[in-house]
Amino acid sequence: MFVIVKMFMIILAIIGTAFLLPVGTALYLGEYDVIRAFIIPLAISWVLGGIFYFIRPKKSVLSTRSVFVFVSASWIVISIFGALPLYFGNYIPSFVDAVFESVSGFSTTGSTILSDIEALPRSINLWRCETHWLGGMGIIALTAAILPIIGVGGFQLVKAESTGPEKGKITPKMANTAKALWLLYFTFTIAQFILLMFCGMDWIDALSHAFSTLGTGGFSTKNASLAGFNNLSVEIVCTVFMFLASINFSLYFYVITGKFREISRNSEFKAYLGIFFVVVLCLAFSLIKFYGSFETALRYSSVQTASIMSTTGFSTADFTQWPPLSQLLIFVLFFIGGCSGSTGGGFKVIRWVILSKQFRVEIKRMLHPHGVFNVRVNGIPGRNDLVLNIAAFLFMYFLLVFATTVMGTIGGLDLFEALTGSLSMVGNVGPGWGRLTGNMGFLPDWLKCWYCFAMIAGRLELYNLIIFFTRDFWKK
């Protein structure tokens, strides 16, 4: 138990350390009220983290139940802790709203309750975007990369936080795997930051949007999101990095180490490429009459396809005003999501790939009853265990979507608003339809709390949070 408390306090100290960026920005800009909002939670996190870090208990093996409790509790408390500066500074006067904004940030959903983002201090907006970056690759994975505190059970902890049906190591040690992934993540962030500066953004906007893009979150410093900049080069850079962030980061490690065969036979990557480019082209052709030229249509279709498919949520146009076919294509993307092992949310492409392969296997069995057929993933046969895992996940995923849709209708949304809102919350996509394309401040507090639950459950791949509501978890 003490080991869990120690890890918990150190993670809070790491989040407190992340406060230094908005605090430094506030000092630079003269936004001194912001500093007061951050300083108390920062000091508390450092004191508690420092005390527990220097206490050296005996290493112990974490039980399976301890892993689920620790990961879920960490994300809940971190989200509340990240909301404190927003609430203490009175930038979001309602505590429920502040927590919703923080959960949306850390879970990389990107929905907001704010109606005038540009009225906030710039350092506060930077913190909102930084929460995407911290939550994107994983807070526990960051802790494992920075400090060797997890020890025994570290792989189980990081595995519980990671996305996708298959979770493994790209290096023998979990700490080294976490370091490699975070180094790649940091490198991409710096690269996009520099490119956005060259495109005309100042350093705060560039860093904010690099955080949001690589974390596939979608918070912006403009009320109109990317459309507020009206800059083609900015849109191109963000589109490219949204695409890169929604690909399994292990593939970049294989590029660096020269293991190109691992990439060429990766079933999910090939499917993701195919879906992305087919949707971009179909969407562009469907928008030609709406925008008057193929070039303009391609510009908007590329950004919105990358944004929704990666679950980032940036916008350059109101897609709810597009022709019905274009809206349908966008709606379909709500069901797909990014790749496993990426910062993207959603159902994940690999799950659809495996289900489609199982469908083909069932057709072959009907035609050849005595044949022996296997699902092959990345060229490896015999992955029937994944089919069962994904079938269970599919049931749980759409059960939560249904429950969240029901909650939305009770909360005053029409059926389609409630459905797209639930897909957005569970899939960590961000925008919805109707009134949910803007801010969600009008929703009742109880529905915001339910949406917070749905966002964290979706970010943690459902099992980690929903398992607490099962009888088997509480049995000895």
Side-chain angles (χ1 to χ4, degrees), residues 22-62:
V23 167
T25 304
L27 277 172
Y28 174 77
L29 297 174
E31 297 172 341
Y32 301 115
D33 289 340
V34 172
I35 299 173
R36 288 193 287 270
F38 280 96
I39 202 68
I40 294 176
L42 188 156
I44 292 172
S45 69
W46 275 5
V47 170
L48 292 176
I51 291 172
F52 279 89
Y53 177 72
F54 289 106
I55 299 176
R56 303 288 182 179
K58 294 181 179 179
K59 285 189 176 181
S60 60
V61 178
L62 294 176

mmCIF file of all heavy atoms in Angstrom, residues 22-62:
data_model
loop_
_atom_site.group_PDB
_atom_site.id
_atom_site.type_symbol
_atom_site.label_atom_id
_atom_site.label_comp_id
_atom_site.label_asym_id
_atom_site.label_seq_id
_atom_site.Cartn_x
_atom_site.Cartn_y
_atom_site.Cartn_z
ATOM 1 N N PRO A 22 3.551 27.149 -17.513
ATOM 2 C CA PRO A 22 2.630 28.296 -17.499
ATOM 3 C C PRO A 22 3.035 29.375 -16.506
ATOM 4 O O PRO A 22 2.805 30.568 -16.755
ATOM 5 C CB PRO A 22 1.282 27.675 -17.116
ATOM 6 C CG PRO A 22 1.597 26.360 -16.508
ATOM 7 C CD PRO A 22 2.848 25.888 -17.176
ATOM 8 N N VAL A 23 3.673 28.991 -15.385
ATOM 9 C CA VAL A 23 4.139 29.994 -14.421
ATOM 10 C C VAL A 23 5.239 30.856 -15.045
ATOM 11 O O VAL A 23 5.223 32.092 -14.933
ATOM 12 C CB VAL A 23 4.646 29.323 -13.129
ATOM 13 C CG1 VAL A 23 5.415 30.318 -12.257
ATOM 14 C CG2 VAL A 23 3.474 28.746 -12.340
ATOM 15 N N GLY A 24 6.198 30.226 -15.716
ATOM 16 C CA GLY A 24 7.259 30.973 -16.389
ATOM 17 C C GLY A 24 6.707 31.864 -17.480
ATOM 18 O O GLY A 24 7.166 33.011 -17.662
ATOM 19 N N THR A 25 5.715 31.353 -18.213
ATOM 20 C CA THR A 25 5.083 32.154 -19.266
ATOM 21 C C THR A 25 4.360 33.355 -18.665
ATOM 22 O O THR A 25 4.402 34.469 -19.214
ATOM 23 C CB THR A 25 4.091 31.288 -20.067
ATOM 24 O OG1 THR A 25 4.768 30.136 -20.584
ATOM 25 C CG2 THR A 25 3.486 32.076 -21.218
ATOM 26 N N ALA A 26 3.694 33.128 -17.538
ATOM 27 C CA ALA A 26 2.991 34.225 -16.866
ATOM 28 C C ALA A 26 3.971 35.302 -16.400
ATOM 29 O O ALA A 26 3.698 36.512 -16.506
ATOM 30 C CB ALA A 26 2.201 33.688 -15.681
ATOM 31 N N LEU A 27 5.124 34.877 -15.878
ATOM 32 C CA LEU A 27 6.158 35.845 -15.486
ATOM 33 C C LEU A 27 6.630 36.653 -16.686
ATOM 34 O O LEU A 27 6.791 37.878 -16.615
ATOM 35 C CB LEU A 27 7.337 35.106 -14.853
ATOM 36 C CG LEU A 27 7.228 34.738 -13.377
ATOM 37 C CD1 LEU A 27 8.384 33.844 -12.969
ATOM 38 C CD2 LEU A 27 7.194 36.003 -12.512
ATOM 39 N N TYR A 28 6.848 35.971 -17.791
ATOM 40 C CA TYR A 28 7.337 36.622 -19.021
ATOM 41 C C TYR A 28 6.321 37.638 -19.548
ATOM 42 O O TYR A 28 6.686 38.726 -20.014
ATOM 43 C CB TYR A 28 7.631 35.551 -20.064
ATOM 44 C CG TYR A 28 8.014 36.088 -21.413
ATOM 45 C CD1 TYR A 28 9.292 36.606 -21.659
ATOM 46 C CD2 TYR A 28 7.097 36.079 -22.475
ATOM 47 C CE1 TYR A 28 9.642 37.099 -22.912
ATOM 48 C CE2 TYR A 28 7.433 36.565 -23.729
ATOM 49 C CZ TYR A 28 8.701 37.081 -23.931
ATOM 50 O OH TYR A 28 9.058 37.567 -25.176
ATOM 51 N N LEU A 29 5.033 37.293 -19.452
ATOM 52 C CA LEU A 29 3.980 38.156 -20.000
ATOM 53 C C LEU A 29 3.423 39.155 -18.988
ATOM 54 O O LEU A 29 2.604 39.991 -19.346
ATOM 55 C CB LEU A 29 2.830 37.293 -20.532
ATOM 56 C CG LEU A 29 3.163 36.343 -21.695
ATOM 57 C CD1 LEU A 29 1.964 35.457 -22.014
ATOM 58 C CD2 LEU A 29 3.573 37.130 -22.937
ATOM 59 N N GLY A 30 3.838 39.023 -17.728
ATOM 60 C CA GLY A 30 3.319 39.911 -16.697
ATOM 61 C C GLY A 30 1.931 39.536 -16.217
ATOM 62 O O GLY A 30 1.211 40.389 -15.667
ATOM 63 N N GLU A 31 1.543 38.276 -16.391
ATOM 64 C CA GLU A 31 0.236 37.811 -15.937
ATOM 65 C C GLU A 31 0.369 37.263 -14.505
ATOM 66 O O GLU A 31 0.289 36.059 -14.250
ATOM 67 C CB GLU A 31 -0.300 36.729 -16.889
ATOM 68 C CG GLU A 31 -0.532 37.235 -18.303
ATOM 69 C CD GLU A 31 -0.881 36.132 -19.282
ATOM 70 O OE1 GLU A 31 -0.610 34.935 -18.984
ATOM 71 O OE2 GLU A 31 -1.409 36.454 -20.365
ATOM 72 N N TYR A 32 0.567 38.179 -13.553
ATOM 73 C CA TYR A 32 0.951 37.773 -12.194
ATOM 74 C C TYR A 32 -0.178 37.084 -11.430
ATOM 75 O O TYR A 32 0.076 36.278 -10.525
ATOM 76 C CB TYR A 32 1.464 38.987 -11.427
ATOM 77 C CG TYR A 32 2.657 39.627 -12.089
ATOM 78 C CD1 TYR A 32 2.590 40.925 -12.609
ATOM 79 C CD2 TYR A 32 3.854 38.922 -12.235
ATOM 80 C CE1 TYR A 32 3.677 41.489 -13.244
ATOM 81 C CE2 TYR A 32 4.947 39.492 -12.864
ATOM 82 C CZ TYR A 32 4.860 40.777 -13.369
ATOM 83 O OH TYR A 32 5.942 41.328 -14.001
ATOM 84 N N ASP A 33 -1.425 37.353 -11.791
ATOM 85 C CA ASP A 33 -2.540 36.662 -11.136
ATOM 86 C C ASP A 33 -2.498 35.160 -11.406
ATOM 87 O O ASP A 33 -2.922 34.360 -10.571
ATOM 88 C CB ASP A 33 -3.883 37.237 -11.610
ATOM 89 C CG ASP A 33 -4.136 38.637 -11.069
ATOM 90 O OD1 ASP A 33 -3.485 38.988 -10.060
ATOM 91 O OD2 ASP A 33 -4.955 39.367 -11.643
ATOM 92 N N VAL A 34 -2.009 34.792 -12.570
ATOM 93 C CA VAL A 34 -1.919 33.378 -12.934
ATOM 94 C C VAL A 34 -0.963 32.647 -11.991
ATOM 95 O O VAL A 34 -1.212 31.502 -11.589
ATOM 96 C CB VAL A 34 -1.461 33.227 -14.398
ATOM 97 C CG1 VAL A 34 -1.186 31.758 -14.719
ATOM 98 C CG2 VAL A 34 -2.511 33.798 -15.346
ATOM 99 N N ILE A 35 0.127 33.306 -11.617
ATOM 100 C CA ILE A 35 1.131 32.674 -10.752
ATOM 101 C C ILE A 35 0.518 32.281 -9.423
ATOM 102 O O ILE A 35 0.759 31.193 -8.906
ATOM 103 C CB ILE A 35 2.320 33.630 -10.542
ATOM 104 C CG1 ILE A 35 2.982 33.940 -11.895
ATOM 105 C CG2 ILE A 35 3.344 33.026 -9.579
ATOM 106 C CD1 ILE A 35 4.048 34.997 -11.830
ATOM 107 N N ARG A 36 -0.320 33.154 -8.880
ATOM 108 C CA ARG A 36 -0.968 32.861 -7.597
ATOM 109 C C ARG A 36 -1.894 31.646 -7.706
ATOM 110 O O ARG A 36 -2.064 30.888 -6.743
ATOM 111 C CB ARG A 36 -1.747 34.085 -7.113
ATOM 112 C CG ARG A 36 -0.848 35.215 -6.617
ATOM 113 C CD ARG A 36 -1.666 36.262 -5.863
ATOM 114 N NE ARG A 36 -2.476 37.054 -6.766
ATOM 115 C CZ ARG A 36 -2.059 38.189 -7.330
ATOM 116 N NH1 ARG A 36 -0.839 38.662 -7.084
ATOM 117 N NH2 ARG A 36 -2.858 38.872 -8.129
ATOM 118 N N ALA A 37 -2.494 31.454 -8.882
ATOM 119 C CA ALA A 37 -3.391 30.323 -9.063
ATOM 120 C C ALA A 37 -2.649 28.991 -9.083
ATOM 121 O O ALA A 37 -3.198 27.953 -8.702
ATOM 122 C CB ALA A 37 -4.188 30.498 -10.361
ATOM 123 N N PHE A 38 -1.392 29.014 -9.512
ATOM 124 C CA PHE A 38 -0.611 27.784 -9.642
ATOM 125 C C PHE A 38 0.248 27.483 -8.419
ATOM 126 O O PHE A 38 0.571 26.324 -8.161
ATOM 127 C CB PHE A 38 0.315 27.872 -10.860
ATOM 128 C CG PHE A 38 -0.360 27.588 -12.165
ATOM 129 C CD1 PHE A 38 -0.837 28.611 -12.966
ATOM 130 C CD2 PHE A 38 -0.506 26.280 -12.617
ATOM 131 C CE1 PHE A 38 -1.452 28.348 -14.186
ATOM 132 C CE2 PHE A 38 -1.117 25.999 -13.822
ATOM 133 C CZ PHE A 38 -1.591 27.043 -14.613
ATOM 134 N N ILE A 39 0.639 28.514 -7.672
ATOM 135 C CA ILE A 39 1.719 28.361 -6.703
ATOM 136 C C ILE A 39 1.359 27.440 -5.539
ATOM 137 O O ILE A 39 2.201 26.658 -5.068
ATOM 138 C CB ILE A 39 2.181 29.746 -6.188
ATOM 139 C CG1 ILE A 39 3.601 29.645 -5.622
ATOM 140 C CG2 ILE A 39 1.192 30.318 -5.205
ATOM 141 C CD1 ILE A 39 4.661 29.364 -6.646
ATOM 142 N N ILE A 40 0.117 27.504 -5.055
ATOM 143 C CA ILE A 40 -0.267 26.669 -3.907
ATOM 144 C C ILE A 40 -0.287 25.182 -4.266
ATOM 145 O O ILE A 40 0.363 24.373 -3.583
ATOM 146 C CB ILE A 40 -1.621 27.119 -3.317
ATOM 147 C CG1 ILE A 40 -1.494 28.523 -2.717
ATOM 148 C CG2 ILE A 40 -2.098 26.131 -2.263
ATOM 149 C CD1 ILE A 40 -2.800 29.094 -2.207
ATOM 150 N N PRO A 41 -1.011 24.770 -5.332
ATOM 151 C CA PRO A 41 -0.961 23.336 -5.677
ATOM 152 C C PRO A 41 0.444 22.870 -6.064
ATOM 153 O O PRO A 41 0.818 21.726 -5.781
ATOM 154 C CB PRO A 41 -1.936 23.209 -6.850
ATOM 155 C CG PRO A 41 -2.174 24.590 -7.344
ATOM 156 C CD PRO A 41 -1.977 25.496 -6.185
ATOM 157 N N LEU A 42 1.241 23.756 -6.674
ATOM 158 C CA LEU A 42 2.617 23.391 -7.029
ATOM 159 C C LEU A 42 3.432 23.100 -5.768
ATOM 160 O O LEU A 42 4.129 22.072 -5.685
ATOM 161 C CB LEU A 42 3.255 24.522 -7.837
ATOM 162 C CG LEU A 42 4.639 24.269 -8.461
ATOM 163 C CD1 LEU A 42 4.852 25.178 -9.665
ATOM 164 C CD2 LEU A 42 5.772 24.507 -7.459
ATOM 165 N N ALA A 43 3.328 23.984 -4.788
ATOM 166 C CA ALA A 43 4.093 23.812 -3.547
ATOM 167 C C ALA A 43 3.667 22.543 -2.813
ATOM 168 O O ALA A 43 4.505 21.777 -2.322
ATOM 169 C CB ALA A 43 3.912 25.039 -2.658
ATOM 170 N N ILE A 44 2.364 22.299 -2.737
ATOM 171 C CA ILE A 44 1.871 21.111 -2.045
ATOM 172 C C ILE A 44 2.371 19.843 -2.718
ATOM 173 O O ILE A 44 2.809 18.890 -2.059
ATOM 174 C CB ILE A 44 0.325 21.123 -1.999
ATOM 175 C CG1 ILE A 44 -0.161 22.258 -1.086
ATOM 176 C CG2 ILE A 44 -0.220 19.783 -1.511
ATOM 177 C CD1 ILE A 44 -1.663 22.462 -1.122
ATOM 178 N N SER A 45 2.322 19.809 -4.047
ATOM 179 C CA SER A 45 2.760 18.609 -4.773
ATOM 180 C C SER A 45 4.242 18.355 -4.579
ATOM 181 O O SER A 45 4.677 17.203 -4.438
ATOM 182 C CB SER A 45 2.442 18.750 -6.264
ATOM 183 O OG SER A 45 3.265 19.739 -6.876
ATOM 184 N N TRP A 46 5.057 19.417 -4.543
ATOM 185 C CA TRP A 46 6.511 19.250 -4.348
ATOM 186 C C TRP A 46 6.825 18.760 -2.940
ATOM 187 O O TRP A 46 7.688 17.900 -2.761
ATOM 188 C CB TRP A 46 7.218 20.568 -4.626
ATOM 189 C CG TRP A 46 7.515 20.772 -6.086
ATOM 190 C CD1 TRP A 46 7.137 19.972 -7.116
ATOM 191 C CD2 TRP A 46 8.245 21.851 -6.660
ATOM 192 N NE1 TRP A 46 7.585 20.483 -8.314
ATOM 193 C CE2 TRP A 46 8.259 21.637 -8.064
ATOM 194 C CE3 TRP A 46 8.865 22.984 -6.146
ATOM 195 C CZ2 TRP A 46 8.895 22.510 -8.939
ATOM 196 C CZ3 TRP A 46 9.504 23.862 -7.018
ATOM 197 C CH2 TRP A 46 9.528 23.624 -8.397
ATOM 198 N N VAL A 47 6.161 19.322 -1.963
ATOM 199 C CA VAL A 47 6.421 18.917 -0.570
ATOM 200 C C VAL A 47 6.067 17.447 -0.372
ATOM 201 O O VAL A 47 6.862 16.649 0.145
ATOM 202 C CB VAL A 47 5.632 19.804 0.417
ATOM 203 C CG1 VAL A 47 5.701 19.222 1.824
ATOM 204 C CG2 VAL A 47 6.192 21.231 0.409
ATOM 205 N N LEU A 48 4.868 17.062 -0.775
ATOM 206 C CA LEU A 48 4.439 15.676 -0.602
ATOM 207 C C LEU A 48 5.286 14.723 -1.438
ATOM 208 O O LEU A 48 5.691 13.659 -0.961
ATOM 209 C CB LEU A 48 2.962 15.538 -0.980
ATOM 210 C CG LEU A 48 1.957 16.235 -0.060
ATOM 211 C CD1 LEU A 48 0.543 16.098 -0.609
ATOM 212 C CD2 LEU A 48 2.037 15.674 1.348
ATOM 213 N N GLY A 49 5.561 15.111 -2.678
ATOM 214 C CA GLY A 49 6.383 14.268 -3.537
ATOM 215 C C GLY A 49 7.789 14.100 -2.997
ATOM 216 O O GLY A 49 8.355 12.997 -3.029
ATOM 217 N N GLY A 50 8.356 15.192 -2.474
ATOM 218 C CA GLY A 50 9.705 15.123 -1.915
ATOM 219 C C GLY A 50 9.783 14.240 -0.687
ATOM 220 O O GLY A 50 10.710 13.440 -0.527
ATOM 221 N N ILE A 51 8.795 14.355 0.179
ATOM 222 C CA ILE A 51 8.776 13.546 1.399
ATOM 223 C C ILE A 51 8.714 12.057 1.054
ATOM 224 O O ILE A 51 9.491 11.244 1.559
ATOM 225 C CB ILE A 51 7.584 13.939 2.289
ATOM 226 C CG1 ILE A 51 7.802 15.343 2.871
ATOM 227 C CG2 ILE A 51 7.386 12.923 3.412
ATOM 228 C CD1 ILE A 51 6.594 15.891 3.601
ATOM 229 N N PHE A 52 7.803 11.704 0.183
ATOM 230 C CA PHE A 52 7.617 10.288 -0.139
ATOM 231 C C PHE A 52 8.742 9.736 -1.018
ATOM 232 O O PHE A 52 9.034 8.540 -0.964
ATOM 233 C CB PHE A 52 6.260 10.082 -0.831
ATOM 234 C CG PHE A 52 5.116 10.021 0.120
ATOM 235 C CD1 PHE A 52 4.443 11.179 0.500
ATOM 236 C CD2 PHE A 52 4.704 8.817 0.660
ATOM 237 C CE1 PHE A 52 3.387 11.135 1.389
ATOM 238 C CE2 PHE A 52 3.645 8.754 1.556
ATOM 239 C CZ PHE A 52 2.981 9.920 1.917
ATOM 240 N N TYR A 53 9.374 10.591 -1.813
ATOM 241 C CA TYR A 53 10.446 10.101 -2.681
ATOM 242 C C TYR A 53 11.637 9.603 -1.864
ATOM 243 O O TYR A 53 12.272 8.597 -2.206
ATOM 244 C CB TYR A 53 10.903 11.208 -3.638
ATOM 245 C CG TYR A 53 12.070 10.781 -4.505
ATOM 246 C CD1 TYR A 53 11.884 9.863 -5.537
ATOM 247 C CD2 TYR A 53 13.349 11.292 -4.292
ATOM 248 C CE1 TYR A 53 12.947 9.466 -6.332
ATOM 249 C CE2 TYR A 53 14.420 10.897 -5.078
ATOM 250 C CZ TYR A 53 14.213 9.984 -6.102
ATOM 251 O OH TYR A 53 15.265 9.587 -6.880
ATOM 252 N N PHE A 54 11.961 10.286 -0.785
ATOM 253 C CA PHE A 54 13.149 9.935 -0.007
ATOM 254 C C PHE A 54 12.894 8.860 1.044
ATOM 255 O O PHE A 54 13.808 8.435 1.739
ATOM 256 C CB PHE A 54 13.733 11.194 0.651
ATOM 257 C CG PHE A 54 14.369 12.120 -0.342
ATOM 258 C CD1 PHE A 54 13.737 13.298 -0.706
ATOM 259 C CD2 PHE A 54 15.591 11.798 -0.929
ATOM 260 C CE1 PHE A 54 14.319 14.150 -1.637
ATOM 261 C CE2 PHE A 54 16.169 12.646 -1.861
ATOM 262 C CZ PHE A 54 15.544 13.821 -2.217
ATOM 263 N N ILE A 55 11.650 8.425 1.151
ATOM 264 C CA ILE A 55 11.356 7.271 2.012
ATOM 265 C C ILE A 55 11.480 6.018 1.157
ATOM 266 O O ILE A 55 10.813 5.890 0.132
ATOM 267 C CB ILE A 55 9.946 7.370 2.619
ATOM 268 C CG1 ILE A 55 9.832 8.625 3.483
ATOM 269 C CG2 ILE A 55 9.625 6.112 3.436
ATOM 270 C CD1 ILE A 55 8.441 8.861 4.035
ATOM 271 N N ARG A 56 12.350 5.100 1.561
ATOM 272 C CA ARG A 56 12.646 3.923 0.756
ATOM 273 C C ARG A 56 12.025 2.664 1.353
ATOM 274 O O ARG A 56 12.621 1.997 2.188
ATOM 275 C CB ARG A 56 14.172 3.725 0.646
ATOM 276 C CG ARG A 56 14.910 4.914 0.067
ATOM 277 C CD ARG A 56 14.647 5.048 -1.415
ATOM 278 N NE ARG A 56 15.405 6.167 -1.991
ATOM 279 C CZ ARG A 56 15.385 6.501 -3.269
ATOM 280 N NH1 ARG A 56 14.647 5.803 -4.104
ATOM 281 N NH2 ARG A 56 16.092 7.526 -3.711
ATOM 282 N N PRO A 57 10.809 2.319 0.953
ATOM 283 C CA PRO A 57 10.221 1.083 1.458
ATOM 284 C C PRO A 57 10.780 -0.127 0.719
ATOM 285 O O PRO A 57 11.427 0.005 -0.320
ATOM 286 C CB PRO A 57 8.733 1.262 1.134
ATOM 287 C CG PRO A 57 8.752 2.085 -0.112
ATOM 288 C CD PRO A 57 9.933 3.023 0.021
ATOM 289 N N LYS A 58 10.526 -1.292 1.254
ATOM 290 C CA LYS A 58 10.921 -2.512 0.549
ATOM 291 C C LYS A 58 10.082 -2.658 -0.713
ATOM 292 O O LYS A 58 8.900 -2.363 -0.731
ATOM 293 C CB LYS A 58 10.718 -3.732 1.452
ATOM 294 C CG LYS A 58 11.630 -3.770 2.664
ATOM 295 C CD LYS A 58 11.368 -5.022 3.488
ATOM 296 C CE LYS A 58 12.289 -5.070 4.696
ATOM 297 N NZ LYS A 58 12.033 -6.284 5.521
ATOM 298 N N LYS A 59 10.738 -3.135 -1.779
ATOM 299 C CA LYS A 59 10.000 -3.329 -3.024
ATOM 300 C C LYS A 59 8.980 -4.441 -2.849
ATOM 301 O O LYS A 59 9.242 -5.446 -2.206
ATOM 302 C CB LYS A 59 10.951 -3.679 -4.169
ATOM 303 C CG LYS A 59 11.752 -2.492 -4.674
ATOM 304 C CD LYS A 59 12.501 -2.844 -5.946
ATOM 305 C CE LYS A 59 13.224 -1.632 -6.505
ATOM 306 N NZ LYS A 59 13.937 -1.964 -7.767
ATOM 307 N N SER A 60 7.833 -4.246 -3.418
ATOM 308 C CA SER A 60 6.791 -5.264 -3.338
ATOM 309 C C SER A 60 6.140 -5.444 -4.697
ATOM 310 O O SER A 60 6.144 -4.534 -5.514
ATOM 311 C CB SER A 60 5.737 -4.866 -2.303
ATOM 312 O OG SER A 60 5.142 -3.633 -2.671
ATOM 313 N N VAL A 61 5.594 -6.627 -4.900
ATOM 314 C CA VAL A 61 4.922 -6.917 -6.157
ATOM 315 C C VAL A 61 3.502 -6.347 -6.107
ATOM 316 O O VAL A 61 2.774 -6.565 -5.137
ATOM 317 C CB VAL A 61 4.864 -8.441 -6.404
ATOM 318 C CG1 VAL A 61 4.102 -8.738 -7.696
ATOM 319 C CG2 VAL A 61 6.268 -9.011 -6.452
ATOM 320 N N LEU A 62 3.135 -5.621 -7.138
ATOM 321 C CA LEU A 62 1.788 -5.054 -7.193
ATOM 322 C C LEU A 62 0.818 -6.123 -7.655
ATOM 323 O O LEU A 62 1.048 -6.791 -8.662
ATOM 324 C CB LEU A 62 1.755 -3.864 -8.148
ATOM 325 C CG LEU A 62 2.564 -2.627 -7.746
ATOM 326 C CD1 LEU A 62 2.486 -1.582 -8.845
ATOM 327 C CD2 LEU A 62 2.052 -2.048 -6.451
#
